[in-house]
Amino acid sequence: MPVPDISAVKSFLLALQQQICEGLEQLDGKGVFKADSWEREEGGGGTSRVLTKGAVFEQAGVNFSHVTGAAMPASATAHRPELAGRSFEAMGVSLVIHPNNPYIPTTHANVRFFIASKEGADPVWWFGGGFDLTPYYPFEQDVIEWHQHSKSFCDPFGDEVYPKYKKWCDEYFYLPHRDETRGVGGLFFDDLNQEGFDTSFEFMQAVGTGFLTAYAPIVKRRKDTEYGEKERDFQLYRRGRYVEFNLVYDRGTLFGLQTGGRTESILMSMPPLVRWEYMYTPEAGSPEALLYTDFLKPRDWLGLN
């Protein structure tokens, strides 16, 4: 496997972080990202950028990291045991956005690059990433457009790409102890190297730069929707599911903690306010119940099958 152009990937990721932060600041109209850089003792570091208490976004974090290590962590070799013991270099941009208004979905995105090395053997590299949408009071228009954008990013790379990565997203962002998806999905890909470096890198760039194109219209459409205490309480309750997934199942969170990453940056994905309620069940037929009955299960949103 030829050695990839690592510097090109890093340059793209740094530019992407800047581009997304500028776009979110424009959407918010008030909040400004604060940046702080950090270094990791074993090797590498990153820059965390966080916007809090904005007009639209209660908290938005956009992180860049570039770390190295002597051995792949368990979270990275669980599904690829042949890489155990290799040294690694990993870089990526990850973001989580928690809006104020319950009618704007929470969202997550990340794009990442790994290379695992071993003396006397060819390096093994791959790309990963994706994004997903977690609404509280969903609108079919928003969800369909979100998936239309997702498909448009995939189409130049083959007709099979969107269905494959949409299905992977549905399966990954699933809470088995609740028997529900985290939200309405999007794209998820990993171990991407089969088409060579250039094509794999182009796909990762399409997903990374496309994210805000898909999310911004939803924010603009819903940010002025009126809401009250009932809707805010439901938003905070559903944020609990987000916390459950990220702390129990998310491989990115586990990777960061297992590699000695900066804890505050890793856990910036947590919402600033959240609540749990024992044995909560929404009233049948209510807007809250509609989320469970119509949206928190895998659906063919574009009618492809």
Side-chain angles (χ1 to χ4, degrees):
M1 183 177 283
V3 177
D5 189 348
I6 297 174
S7 62
V9 178
K10 185 172 183 177
S11 295
F12 165 75
L13 291 172
L14 287 168
L16 179 67
Q17 184 191 34
Q18 178 68 21
Q19 171 200 331
I20 290 176
C21 288
E22 289 176 355
L24 292 174
E25 286 179 348
Q26 290 177 6
L27 281 172
D28 191 88
K30 172 189 172 186
V32 176
F33 278 92
K34 294 182 179 178
D36 62 312
S37 297
W38 50 274
E39 294 183 356
R40 178 171 162 274
E41 187 174 343
E42 190 176 355
T47 299
S48 301
R49 302 182 67 174
V50 179
L51 180 159
T52 59
K53 299 180 180 179
V56 175
F57 303 119
E58 190 168 351
Q59 179 173 290
V62 185
N63 292 342
F64 165 79
S65 64
H66 178 198
V67 299
T68 59
M72 296 281 286
S75 60
T77 58
H79 69 296
R80 299 191 68 174
E82 72 276 14
L83 300 181
R86 284 185 174 236
S87 63
F88 72 91
E89 182 171 359
M91 63 181 74
V93 167
S94 63
L95 66 90
V96 174
I97 301 168
H98 294 289
N100 290 310
N101 193 314
Y103 289 95
I104 305 175
T106 285
T107 190
H108 140 270
N110 83 85
V111 284
R112 56 189 182 272
F113 174 75
F114 277 80
I115 182 166
S117 301
K118 178 181 177 182
E119 189 173 348
D122 288 338
V124 178
W125 58 264
W126 68 95
F127 290 95
F131 48 64
D132 74 310
L133 194 68
T134 306
Y136 308 97
Y137 291 92
F139 296 83
E140 285 207 1
Q141 177 189 6
D142 296 345
V143 181
I144 290 171
E145 287 185 4
W146 173 259
H147 280 276
Q148 287 173 333
H149 281 293
S150 303
K151 184 175 181 296
S152 72
F153 307 149
C154 295
D155 282 350
F157 301 89
D159 294 340
E160 76 288 357
V161 175
Y162 167 75
K164 176 182 177 181
Y165 294 152
K166 189 265 187 192
K167 181 175 184 290
W168 202 347
C169 188
D170 288 336
E171 293 171 348
Y172 180 79
F173 293 107
Y174 172 72
L175 290 83
H177 62 286
R178 300 288 191 182
D179 190 23
E180 62 187 41
T181 57
R182 185 166 81 171
V184 296
L187 300 173
F188 182 93
F189 64 99
D190 205 357
D191 304 322
L192 181 65
N193 59 19
Q194 299 80 8
E195 302 300 323
F197 176 79
D198 289 344
T199 301
S200 302
F201 186 25
E202 286 172 9
F203 180 74
M204 186 263 262
Q205 292 177 83
V207 172
T209 55
F211 161 75
L212 210 52
T213 306
Y215 186 57
I218 299 173
V219 175
K220 292 176 181 176
R221 192 180 299 132
R222 307 301 172 196
K223 66 185 179 67
D224 296 322
T225 305
E226 293 187 6
Y227 66 92
E229 185 177 350
K230 176 186 175 185
E231 291 79 15
R232 176 65 169 169
D233 280 348
F234 185 64
Q235 179 196 44
L236 298 189
Y237 173 76
R238 287 299 310 176
R239 281 179 175 178
R241 297 291 206 274
Y242 212 87
V243 173
E244 291 175 18
F245 180 86
N246 277 24
L247 293 183
V248 177
Y249 299 111
D250 186 62
R251 281 163 34 189
T253 302
L254 293 175
F255 176 84
L257 296 176
Q258 289 176 354
T259 55
R262 186 171 183 260
T263 303
E264 286 297 313
S265 298
I266 297 165
L267 297 183
M268 69 82 190
S269 64
M270 298 294 109
L273 293 175
V274 64
R275 74 180 186 90
W276 278 265
E277 182 174 331
Y278 181 68
M279 296 294 287
Y280 169 80
T281 303
E283 182 181 348
S286 66
E288 292 78 16
L290 192 67
L291 172 69
Y292 293 80
T293 58
D294 290 12
F295 290 88
L296 297 184
K297 60 185 73 173
R299 281 178 57 177
D300 178 12
W301 291 102
L302 302 184
L304 299 178
N305 298 314

